[in-house]
Amino acid sequence: MSLIANVSLAESVDDKIARAASAAPMDISGEATIMDVDGTILRNGSNGWVCLPGVGLIPGDEHPMCNDAVWMKWMAAVGAGTEFSTDVIGVSYMLQGDAMVNNDNPMATDPNDGGVWVQDGPHIMMLFPNMDMLADLPRDPFAGGPYVMWGETPLAHVMMPIEAK
């Protein structure tokens, strides 16, 4: 009986595709490659974007994201623990929001260990080739508007919330 229950609770490929596609406007996600968090291609795309049904860097996460090639390179570097750099701006959509994360330390896993923890609703993320370009942006996620996440690390990026916290 438990095997049958587990099978019936398994998420279908169509459900994963729908959740992944909800991360970005349809003019992006409608033609994007949909890739499961384990790297399995669920649907081939044609526009260079890759949408995932969750953030594979966070076990069990189901917050979808759609990434351009720069963000996919960033995700691969983070996953492998290798250096990341880019000479162009990268864009990622997370229109269904994000998990609770430490804004200061990308490796933090315990909200009781200090730092500023934040859970954003719908937002866009941007990577920049030159961190000096971010010097005047706040590091405080509650200041309102765009802010820098993980600013003192090589994984720094700009968070652009679409709605108030």
Side-chain angles (χ1 to χ4, degrees), residues 33-73:
T33 295
I34 306 292
M35 183 171 73
D36 207 345
V37 295
D38 67 0
T40 302
I41 301 299
L42 303 176
R43 183 187 81 194
N44 286 311
S46 60
N47 65 1
W49 288 84
V50 178
C51 300
L52 300 104
V55 180
L57 303 172
I58 303 172
D61 183 78
E62 293 187 353
H63 295 91
M65 65 189 316
C66 283
N67 300 324
D68 68 5
V70 176
W71 267 93
M72 291 306 293
K73 181 180 171 188

Side-chain angles (χ1 to χ4, degrees), residues 7-138:
V7 171
S8 67
L9 294 177
E11 186 174 25
S12 74
V13 169
D14 287 343
D15 288 342
K16 287 182 180 184
I17 290 171
R19 187 170 68 245
S22 73
M26 280 304 295
D27 61 341
I28 291 172
S29 63
E31 296 299 323
T33 295
I34 306 292
M35 183 171 73
D36 207 345
V37 295
D38 67 0
T40 302
I41 301 299
L42 303 176
R43 183 187 81 194
N44 286 311
S46 60
N47 65 1
W49 288 84
V50 178
C51 300
L52 300 104
V55 180
L57 303 172
I58 303 172
D61 183 78
E62 293 187 353
H63 295 91
M65 65 189 316
C66 283
N67 300 324
D68 68 5
V70 176
W71 267 93
M72 291 306 293
K73 181 180 171 188
W74 184 93
M75 297 280 291
V78 173
T82 59
E83 291 291 317
F84 168 81
S85 66
T86 181
D87 57 355
V88 296
I89 293 172
V91 178
S92 177
Y93 285 87
M94 291 191 78
L95 298 184
Q96 301 304 317
D98 203 353
M100 177 77 70
V101 295
N102 185 309
N103 193 60
D104 304 314
N105 179 357
M107 301 308 153
T109 58
D110 181 0
N112 298 312
D113 68 2
V116 176
W117 287 79
V118 62
Q119 184 169 19
D120 273 303
H123 62 281
I124 297 168
M125 300 181 294
M126 296 183 75
L127 295 165
F128 290 85
N130 180 340
M131 291 296 105
D132 294 339
M133 299 171 84
L134 313 181
D136 292 335
L137 286 176

